[in-house]
Amino acid sequence: MTRFMDVHHGMKGITADELMAAHRADQEIEGEEGVHFERAWADPESGIVYCLSEAPSAEAVLRVHDRAGHPADEINPVPLAV
Amino acid sequence: MTRFMDVHHGMKGITADELMAAHRADQEIEGEEGVHFERAWADPESGIVYCLSEAPSAEAVLRVHDRAGHPADEINPVPLAV
């Protein structure tokens, strides 16, 4: 398992409830891809959302986001953390 | 206080020890700017580092990173989190 940070653009105006709903939609299906979404942070003004996950591959993370209806624009493994 | 995510590029080859040293260098002076760095995640292969902080302004976060010798390339407030 590797930790990943993915980034969504274009989520301008996202609300706290919408962020929570999107996170729950990911979590409902993440087990099917062996992914676990840990945290997400959003800026309604710029429309950027950052998601932190643990997963077997970047492709698995992207598949969950795709299937949940909010594809990610960027993804990077982040094997180091403090 | 607002939560911020900032991003550094060009940190290719960063090691766990170097990430910890950079994080500590931030933490040594963060109090002077009213900033608190919470977490950081790095990808040695792409050279991207993400830093999560709480701060009075984006400028305060950038000043700490500048003074610690590792200026950030991007910063966004992330007022929403799950």
Side-chain angles (χ1 to χ4, degrees):
Chain A
M1 294 286 275
T2 302
R3 186 163 280 143
F4 292 90
M5 187 77 82
D6 69 77
V7 185
H8 305 251
H9 295 281
M11 310 285 273
K12 276 189 190 181
I14 188 170
T15 65
D17 284 351
E18 287 167 348
L19 181 64
M20 179 58 79
H23 189 59
R24 286 197 179 141
D26 287 328
Q27 289 188 322
E28 272 171 26
I29 57 171
E30 66 179 18
E32 297 166 25
E33 298 283 358
V35 174
H36 177 56
F37 284 97
E38 297 180 351
R39 302 282 310 273
W41 300 270
D43 177 18
E45 214 171 297
S46 66
I48 289 185
V49 179
Y50 300 91
C51 297
L52 186 69
S53 62
E54 279 202 325
S57 68
E59 290 70 25
V61 175
L62 297 177
R63 272 196 300 271
V64 175
H65 276 333
D66 283 351
R67 291 174 55 195
H70 41 252
D73 298 295
E74 304 168 36
I75 187 164
N76 280 286
V78 283
L80 306 183
V82 293
Chain B
M1 295 286 275
T2 303
R3 187 163 279 143
F4 292 91
M5 186 76 82
D6 69 77
V7 185
H8 305 250
H9 296 280
M11 310 286 272
K12 277 189 192 182
I14 189 169
T15 66
D17 285 350
E18 287 167 349
L19 180 65
M20 178 59 79
H23 189 59
R24 284 195 181 143
D26 287 329
Q27 290 188 322
E28 272 171 24
I29 58 171
E30 66 180 19
E32 296 165 25
E33 299 284 357
V35 174
H36 178 55
F37 284 97
E38 298 180 351
R39 303 282 309 273
W41 300 270
D43 177 17
E45 214 170 298
S46 66
I48 289 185
V49 178
Y50 300 91
C51 297
L52 186 69
S53 62
E54 279 202 325
S57 68
E59 291 70 25
V61 176
L62 296 178
R63 273 196 299 273
V64 175
H65 276 333
D66 283 350
R67 292 174 54 197
H70 41 253
D73 298 294
E74 305 168 35
I75 187 164
N76 280 286
V78 282
L80 306 183
V82 291

